């Protein structure tokens, strides 16, 4: 196993490894690298859904794939409720996955639930020749860029993360548009969180759409969020993953956010994603 950090200091490539063959000691080394570098990339993998699920489960108990409001009976019928399909491919007139080919805004996966996933794993099955890149931004660096006085204010505030919309802005199943962000559904989280495993502090914003800072007048919340978001995704705190088939990228939702670039809807993109449930 070779661990090669990128110059930005929050991404590392891990080479000479087959995730199906990792013994416990090797996995511990990989996990330690992931705690040091919030994004790790493993290229040239060949994974079935079950192998991806089993490997992801070594990071901790898995979170169900986001399906909107769904009954327990419907969930039980799902062939693999822990593996989400992200794709623009349509078969017999029906999309086989979510999010299509549109641009996805900056977000943290499933931050709208009470215990958002710690890790997300995304595996490339099919990728277009151009487009569909995933951009990541360092939220530790974002907090470091904020003036000290504002950062101290943020440490005392919490923000509600909208649960009604996905990362391309579409309504999730069973939800409706709220007339006011204060009425939007979603969990409330501190704006600054300390990583429970490595002690780093990072901004925790989720996504901008229908966010609301608890206790503020709506205009004041909007103004503060606009100011805070101006420190997100600064040029030297962004890394772009240009996908190859067989790439597996693992990121720490407690330290980074991500977004997806749009791509030609006539091209094919097929990804599998798993998420690790917070303790």
């Amino acid at each position: 196993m070779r661990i090669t950090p990128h110059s930005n200091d929050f991404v590392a490539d891990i080479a000479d490894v087959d995730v199906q063959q990792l013994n416990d000691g090797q996995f511990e080394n990989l996990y330690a690298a992931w705690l040091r570098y919030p994004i790790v990339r493993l290229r040239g993998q060949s994974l079935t859904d079950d192998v991806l699920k089993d490997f992801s489960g070594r990071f901790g108990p898995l979170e169900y794939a986001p399906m909107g409001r769904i009954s327990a009976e419907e969930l039980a019928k799902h062939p693999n409720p822990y593996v989400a399909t992200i794709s623009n491919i349509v078969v017999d007139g029906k999309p086989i996955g979510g999010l299509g080919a549109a641009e996805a805004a900056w977000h943290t996966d499933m931050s709208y639930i009470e215990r958002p996933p710690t890790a997300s794993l995304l595996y490339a099955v099919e990728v277009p020749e151009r487009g569909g890149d995933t951009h990541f931004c360092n939220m530790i660096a974002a907090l470091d860029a904020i003036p000290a006085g504002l950062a101290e204010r943020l440490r005392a505030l919490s923000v509600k993360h909208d649960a009604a919309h996905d990362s391309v802005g579409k309504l999730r199943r069973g939800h409706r548009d709220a007339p006011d962000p204060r009425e939007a559904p979603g969990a409330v989280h501190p704006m600054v969180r300390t990583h429970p495993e490595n002690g780093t502090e990072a901004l925790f914003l989720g996504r901008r759409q229908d966010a609301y800072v608890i206790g503020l007048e709506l205009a004041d919340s909007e103004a503060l969020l606009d100011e805070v978001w101006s420190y997100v995704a600064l040029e030297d705190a962004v890394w772009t993953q240009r996908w190859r088939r067989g790439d597996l990228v693992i990121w720490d939702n407690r330290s980074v956010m991500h977004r997806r670039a749009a791509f030609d809807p006539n091209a094919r993109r097929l990804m599998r994603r798993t998420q690790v449930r917070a303790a």
Side-chain angles (χ1 to χ4, degrees):
M1 182 186 301
R2 289 185 294 113
I3 300 170
T4 305
H6 290 220
S7 59
N8 59 31
D9 205 40
F10 70 101
V11 183
D13 275 302
I14 299 181
D16 297 336
V17 60
D18 179 346
V19 301
Q20 300 183 67
Q21 305 297 326
L22 282 179
N23 61 37
D24 288 344
Q26 291 168 326
F27 178 77
E28 288 176 7
N29 290 338
L30 186 152
Y31 191 90
W34 174 68
L35 288 182
R36 170 62 182 85
Y37 304 101
I39 304 165
V40 296
R41 178 175 62 186
L42 292 75
R43 308 204 105 148
Q45 303 299 307
S46 181
L47 310 177
T48 65
D49 286 358
D50 285 341
V51 169
L52 175 61
K53 177 176 71 68
D54 291 345
F55 173 68
S56 303
R58 299 180 78 170
F59 286 80
L62 298 185
E63 183 59 80
Y64 288 121
M67 302 176 196
R69 289 175 173 163
I70 184 171
S71 69
E73 291 77 15
E74 289 176 294
L75 184 63
K77 296 176 184 176
H78 196 281
N80 200 333
Y82 295 111
V83 179
T85 298
I86 299 172
S87 182
N88 67 313
I89 298 170
V90 176
V91 175
D92 295 331
K94 296 182 179 180
I96 66 170
L99 301 183
E103 179 179 0
W106 288 114
H107 66 284
T108 303
D109 284 334
M110 295 183 72
S111 66
Y112 51 86
I113 66 175
E114 292 297 330
R115 296 189 299 163
T118 56
S120 289
L121 297 88
L122 189 59
Y123 173 63
V125 181
E126 290 186 60
V127 295
E129 289 186 8
R130 291 180 299 276
D133 300 336
T134 302
H135 306 280
F136 293 88
C137 65
N138 185 344
M139 299 302 283
I140 301 169
L143 181 61
D144 289 343
I146 290 176
L150 176 57
E152 278 305 305
R153 183 187 177 199
L154 300 182
R155 289 185 176 94
L157 295 174
S158 296
V159 63
K160 181 166 63 174
H161 296 224
D162 170 50
H165 300 87
D166 63 21
S167 58
V168 298
K170 293 184 178 180
L171 279 172
R172 290 194 174 92
R173 177 179 177 177
H175 288 281
R176 61 177 179 80
D177 280 309
D180 183 317
R182 290 170 293 190
E183 299 176 24
V188 174
H189 299 292
M191 292 186 75
V192 177
R193 300 204 314 175
T194 300
H195 197 295
E197 295 185 82
N198 63 26
T200 56
E201 270 194 323
L203 274 181
F204 192 68
L205 300 178
R207 67 197 68 203
R208 182 64 183 87
Q209 184 173 4
D210 279 356
Y212 168 64
V213 181
I214 302 301
L216 299 188
E217 294 294 329
L218 182 57
D220 294 334
S221 170
E222 293 291 308
L224 178 60
L225 286 169
D226 287 345
E227 181 179 8
V228 172
W229 274 88
S230 72
Y231 293 96
V232 171
L234 299 177
E235 185 176 357
D236 60 352
V238 173
W239 174 74
T240 298
Q241 158 67 0
R242 293 181 172 86
W243 290 95
R244 301 177 190 170
R245 183 177 178 179
D247 280 355
L248 174 63
V249 176
I250 308 163
W251 66 89
D252 193 329
N253 280 296
R254 298 163 291 189
S255 303
V256 301
M257 289 201 303
H258 62 286
R259 70 176 183 87
R260 187 192 68 193
F263 60 98
D264 181 353
N266 295 310
R268 289 171 62 96
R269 187 177 189 267
L270 175 58
M271 318 290 283
R272 304 290 198 209
R273 188 185 68 190
T274 54
Q275 296 174 304
V276 179
R277 184 176 301 163

